Amino acid sequence: MIRLEHIVKYFHKGSVNEVFALNDITLRLAEGDFVTVIGSNGAGKSTLLNCIAGSFFPDSGKIFIGAGDVTRWPEYRRAALISRVFQNPLLGTCPSATIEQNMALAALRGQKRGLGRGVKGSDRERFRTELRQLGLGLEDRLLDKVGLLSGGQRQALTMLMATMVKPEVLLLDEHIAALDPKTAGHILSLTEEIVASRGLTTMMITHNMKHAISFGNRLLMLHQGRVLLDLCGSDKKTLTVKDLLEQFYLAQGEELAMDSLLLG
Ligand SMILES: Nc1ncnc2c1ncn2[C@@H]1O[C@H](COP(=O)(O)OP(=O)(O)OP(=O)(O)O)[C@@H](O)[C@H]1O
Ligand SMILES: [Mg+2]
């Protein structure tokens, strides 16, 4: 469970460069909710996920993850509860370590112990089984350095590593945007499979409206730091790309109407 109460975030407050990035966001995700998040460039999508992850604190409002108030928890402390996958496949894994070393570290997330004990045979078997489900042949490359993998292979490994220890919430920020269409499709089905089989509470930012409609059980549209649409159940299922585009234009249209009022 994750709950945001009246989250407000400014950047460069009080200067000429002031940005009102999140404008009073209140949101509650139930356990197992898979939420797709859309909105134009600069709408506040990444800022919302960064606030949840603790990359910075909100100016006001509260964030609850699980039972606790994590609003003032630093990022490293929240990392025990949150997994993130970014657009850049180079983030999220360590290139100079082997696949099995990367996976062993991921398996220790939230624990105080380090990698001192090394990778055991039983770990290896588990890693092989997990890698096999990616369908990329990585189960035979446990000792390869991760830096040798392609972007798509690396992103698939990152997805697996992000979910080896079940997080309270999985945050995906355009995690397929840097991949070719075929690989992107593969990572997307993998995402769906992992999220469903582990019942993960997930937020997935995408610019692809078809994906936003067809994946997950809930859809949020952000605009100028506010939640413009929040649809779930049959409202989401019956949604079309045309409906979403109309909402986008409506939002822009309101801006135009406001401008013309001001100018008039
Ligand atoms: N660290 C930061 N410092 C200053 N301004 C920031 C920072 N992060 C985001 N912003 C600003 O906050 C606003 C929201 O940005 P954000 O990155 O959340 O948008 P987004 O919806 O993720 O857009 P995109 O689709 O382009 O990724 C933008 O105006 C952006 O320039
Ligand atoms: Mg973004």
Side-chain angles (χ1 to χ4, degrees):
M1 200 275 292
I2 166 163
R3 190 154 52 93
L4 307 181
E5 280 181 5
H6 302 293
I7 296 294
V8 169
K9 178 68 192 171
Y10 285 91
F11 291 107
H12 311 300
K13 194 162 191 221
S15 79
V16 284
N17 298 321
E18 179 175 295
V19 178
F20 194 7
L22 296 178
N23 180 354
D24 195 15
I25 302 247
T26 292
L27 196 62
R28 184 183 178 284
L29 305 195
E31 178 87 29
D33 261 353
F34 181 176
V35 184
T36 55
V37 184
I38 56 169
S40 49
N41 295 124
K45 306 178 297 296
S46 297
T47 304
L48 181 65
L49 266 53
N50 287 334
C51 255
I52 294 171
S55 308
F56 38 68
F57 293 148
D59 294 295
S60 58
K62 287 202 169 300
I63 302 172
F64 298 85
I65 299 177
D69 180 348
V70 302
T71 315
R72 291 284 140 187
W73 283 26
E75 190 169 24
Y76 74 86
R77 197 168 162 210
R78 286 188 218 184
L81 305 175
I82 296 172
S83 279
R84 309 179 77 181
V85 183
F86 298 93
Q87 181 171 344
N88 186 346
L90 303 184
L91 299 173
T93 45
C94 171
S96 58
T98 62
I99 292 181
E100 67 172 28
Q101 285 167 339
N102 269 276
M103 291 184 80
L105 268 180
L108 289 173
R109 190 165 57 86
Q111 295 180 26
K112 292 217 162 62
R113 279 185 306 156
L115 250 194
R117 71 189 182 95
V119 181
K120 288 198 301 199
S122 55
D123 295 331
R124 254 176 220 126
E125 255 334 287
R126 176 184 166 206
F127 297 163
R128 267 200 202 99
T129 311
E130 303 233 13
L131 286 167
R132 209 164 280 128
Q133 61 169 311
L134 300 181
L136 297 171
L138 297 183
E139 62 276 16
D140 300 321
R141 301 178 61 183
L142 281 181
L143 296 177
D144 273 3
K145 293 234 162 70
V146 164
L148 298 173
L149 304 183
S150 73
Q153 290 168 336
R154 211 156 149 178
Q155 201 67 328
L157 179 63
T158 304
M159 269 305 299
L160 200 60
M161 285 169 48
T163 52
M164 278 175 75
V165 176
K166 185 179 176 183
E168 286 281 341
V169 59
L170 173 65
L171 302 176
L172 308 170
D173 192 344
E174 298 191 52
H175 71 309
I176 59 160
L179 307 174
D180 70 68
K182 185 162 168 255
T183 313
H186 184 71
I187 301 289
L188 210 46
S189 355
L190 180 72
T191 305
E192 197 173 37
E193 214 174 280
I194 291 179
V195 167
S197 67
R198 303 186 191 181
L200 301 176
T201 309
T202 304
M203 294 180 87
M204 179 176 92
I205 298 179
T206 175
H207 278 290
N208 185 313
M209 299 215 182
K210 273 194 200 150
H211 292 164
I213 292 170
S214 59
F215 289 87
N217 64 319
R218 188 168 169 192
L219 179 147
L220 291 183
M221 183 191 280
L222 294 192
H223 183 67
Q224 294 181 343
R226 303 185 83 108
V227 177
L228 199 72
L229 269 186
D230 182 355
L231 300 172
C232 56
S234 56
D235 288 343
K236 176 171 183 296
K237 281 206 183 86
T238 53
L239 203 63
T240 63
V241 170
K242 188 167 163 278
D243 295 333
L244 278 184
L245 280 174
E246 271 170 12
Q247 292 294 334
F248 254 127
Y249 286 123
L250 203 63
Q252 311 292 340
E254 274 172 10
E255 263 188 282
L256 282 179
M258 287 288 287
D259 284 347
S260 60
L261 277 178
L262 286 171
L263 290 170

